[in-house]
Amino acid sequence: MPPAHSPHQLSRALALLLTLGSFASAQAGQVCEVSTGPVSLIVLASGSKVHAYARTQEGTVARRDAKTVIFHDGRVITADIEAAGRHLAALGWGSRDVKVVASFPAPRARPRRG
């Protein structure tokens, strides 16, 4: 089972990924429009939960994959922090602040009674 992470740890990890991704994009000569305002990060336990929750939200999707949905207004719903960081960097959002709104770890298996 993956370890549980605090919102502070997740925010720091995503900020590092964004910084590295932005540097790589700049080195490759890519020009991306930089949006303003913070990115709101919601971490869910699985891709299916991500997409189920994203379907309940209004807004235009900027990027999507099997475990991440990113809206143009900066809302990020993901089950994969690293992939979310790569997507945000590719969108040119590496300089935006990251606010962890919620993090829900995968449910733990209950111990068997014997």
Side-chain angles (χ1 to χ4, degrees):
M1 174 188 324
H5 298 288
S6 73
H8 181 69
Q9 289 172 316
L10 293 172
S11 181
R12 287 182 59 204
L14 188 56
L16 177 61
L17 286 169
L18 287 171
T19 301
L20 294 173
S22 295
F23 178 74
S25 293
Q27 296 294 35
Q30 297 177 357
V31 177
C32 298
E33 179 181 329
V34 177
S35 299
T36 59
V39 169
S40 300
L41 181 66
I42 299 173
V43 183
L44 300 179
S46 69
S48 61
K49 291 181 187 272
V50 165
H51 288 283
Y53 181 67
R55 282 191 295 273
T56 69
Q57 303 298 300
E58 293 184 14
T60 305
V61 174
R63 188 141 315 185
R64 163 189 329 253
D65 72 11
K67 293 184 176 183
T68 303
V69 177
I70 300 174
F71 291 91
H72 276 283
D73 63 4
R75 288 175 290 149
V76 178
I77 306 164
T78 190
D80 184 346
I81 298 290
E82 289 81 16
R86 288 190 301 272
H87 290 309
L88 291 171
L91 288 167
W93 294 1
S95 63
R96 294 176 76 169
D97 289 334
V98 177
K99 292 185 179 182
V100 178
V101 176
S103 178
F104 301 97
R108 295 181 180 184
R110 294 185 182 198
R112 291 185 173 198
R113 293 187 182 189

